[in-house]
Amino acid sequence: MLHDDIHLAGTGAWHPKTVPVDEAVADGRYTREFQRQTGQRRVAVVDDAADTQPAMAIRAGLRAVERSGLTADRFSLLLHGVATSNGLPGWNAASYVQRHVLDGHGVSFEVHQLSNSAVGSMELACRWLTTGAPGSAALITASDRFGEGAWDRWGAAPPVFVFGDGASAAVLARGDGFARVVCTVTVADTVLEGMQRGAMPFSADPQDGYPIGFFDRVMEFSDELDDGLDEAKRRMADLMARAGERAFAEAGLTAADIRHAATPALGREALYEQCLDPLGIDIDRSTWSYAREVGHAGCTDQFAALDHLVGTGALEPGDRVLVAGLGGGYNCTLAVLEVTARPEEVRCPR
């Protein structure tokens, strides 16, 4: 969908300290073979009980709002993305973040779309802002923590990625910002829904299936396909290619026009298979060099990558940026941005 007068106005991110992957290899939690496949160097790991998912989201959200220069009363919407737990069963984290970051302004919703929760929320927010009052803004926050016991950080998907912890945020606004949202596209292939389910039975007990190991579930699911894991990989690649074809057509661009791609924090081989090759974008234009230092922090990857591009001064006026989200279900969202000003030069009217 093409958008008119909707802009990225601010970004924010927060990660705990990172630990070297070599330590996990040395003590047997990870293998050198898997490290060669992923290329992962370091992983952000929470070691302080105070660094909860909501607390991290608030830090990232406050940073994004401060960078945008917008006051809380400008915001009509907050979307809070989570791939894992929101911090407390039976509770709405979005309202909590809304209260602490936006002083309760607007309305909020929690979005649980696994790793595509945040980027998918971009399309929802853009559609919301299109029908809203001029000058209104939306905040998207994302926060994930893959704590031991519930998740096998190193062994859940060892050849594909290593889980990291952290939070990120983005502000979208009508009329204000440093990058115009040209278009957003979301596509889905529900045949792949079983990749995160495998042969697991449904249960009323949230503790069933812990620790979660995606690799086993993927292998169970692939056994049901005619061509096994190859078919699953092909369908994922086709999904990303289909999204890319639509996004580039709507934006009037080709893959060659993309200067930066904020991509999922997958390992090197999986990133090529699931994202870069289907889109026709080389790894040097992606944010993989940043991602390999923090790990796959669920749905927080892309906004954290955008924040990294902002913080390092990598964005120049005229740059086209592709934001690529991919999450279990399976669904894929792409957003094409056009940088219109250096982020540090933009302070939106209060």
Side-chain angles (χ1 to χ4, degrees):
M1 179 180 181
L2 284 168
H3 301 292
D4 179 44
D5 198 33
I6 297 177
H7 303 261
L8 178 64
T11 60
W14 188 90
H15 290 96
K17 292 181 179 180
T18 60
V19 299
V21 174
D22 287 343
E23 289 184 1
V25 173
D27 63 23
R29 288 175 294 163
Y30 204 52
T31 71
R32 190 65 70 188
E33 177 185 357
F34 289 146
Q35 187 184 31
R36 282 194 291 269
Q37 288 178 271
T38 62
Q40 199 69 38
R41 290 177 175 172
R42 302 183 69 87
V43 179
V45 177
V46 164
D47 63 0
D48 187 336
D51 293 333
T52 63
Q53 292 93 326
M56 294 189 294
I58 288 171
R59 293 171 196 152
L62 288 171
R63 179 175 174 83
V65 172
E66 192 279 330
R67 277 184 160 181
S68 76
L70 298 172
T71 52
D73 59 0
R74 290 279 300 273
F75 288 83
S76 61
L77 177 69
L78 181 144
L79 297 176
H80 179 59
V82 292
T84 59
S85 166
N86 67 5
L88 185 67
W91 173 69
N92 187 347
S95 294
Y96 182 81
V97 177
Q98 177 192 3
R99 181 163 70 92
H100 286 275
V101 178
L102 300 180
D103 296 329
H105 288 282
V107 298
S108 62
F109 299 93
E110 190 172 289
V111 180
H112 184 73
Q113 202 64 33
L114 295 184
S115 293
N116 195 35
S117 299
V119 182
S121 291
M122 288 187 71
E123 177 144 32
L124 300 177
C126 285
R127 290 173 183 264
W128 174 283
L129 292 173
T130 296
T131 61
S136 62
L139 173 65
I140 304 171
T141 56
S143 182
D144 276 312
R145 174 176 170 175
F146 296 87
E148 300 298 330
W151 293 89
D152 183 351
R153 183 183 303 280
W154 301 96
V160 181
F161 54 73
V162 177
F163 281 124
D165 302 328
S168 63
V171 172
L172 299 180
R174 292 187 64 185
D176 300 315
F178 62 86
R180 181 172 67 93
V181 182
V182 180
C183 68
T184 55
V185 169
T186 299
V187 296
D189 181 355
T190 56
V191 169
L192 294 170
E193 161 272 322
M195 288 190 69
Q196 280 71 44
R197 176 172 48 85
M200 289 288 296
F202 297 124
S203 172
D205 185 352
Q207 303 301 315
D208 283 352
Y210 283 176
I212 298 170
F214 279 148
F215 186 71
D216 292 339
R217 297 186 187 186
V218 169
M219 297 311 295
E220 290 171 348
F221 168 74
S222 64
D223 288 341
E224 301 176 3
L225 300 176
D226 292 339
D227 293 330
L229 189 58
D230 287 340
E231 181 177 342
K233 290 181 177 181
R234 183 169 63 251
R235 294 188 79 101
M236 285 191 290
D238 288 347
L239 186 68
M240 183 64 74
R242 181 154 48 98
E245 183 178 357
R246 280 183 51 188
F248 292 145
E250 287 191 8
L253 304 173
T254 68
D257 296 316
I258 300 300
R259 174 75 182 276
H260 301 284
T263 53
L266 305 177
R268 179 174 48 224
E269 292 186 11
L271 184 62
Y272 270 115
E273 287 182 349
Q274 298 181 27
C275 192
L276 298 178
D277 285 346
L279 291 172
I281 294 175
D282 58 85
I283 200 166
D284 290 339
R285 287 186 286 157
S286 78
T287 49
W288 180 73
S289 62
Y290 166 73
R292 70 190 304 197
E293 305 294 336
V294 293
H296 176 45
C299 63
T300 76
D301 292 346
Q302 293 83 355
F303 293 167
L306 284 174
D307 190 65
H308 174 73
L309 293 174
V310 169
T312 57
L315 299 181
E316 299 278 350
D319 286 351
R320 274 62 173 253
V321 180
L322 183 70
V323 185
L326 185 67
Y330 238 81
N331 53 87
C332 172
T333 299
L334 297 182
V336 177
L337 312 178
E338 181 182 9
V339 180
T340 54
R342 294 180 184 275
E344 65 270 18
E345 296 174 354
V346 175
R347 294 290 294 180
C348 299
R350 293 180 180 274

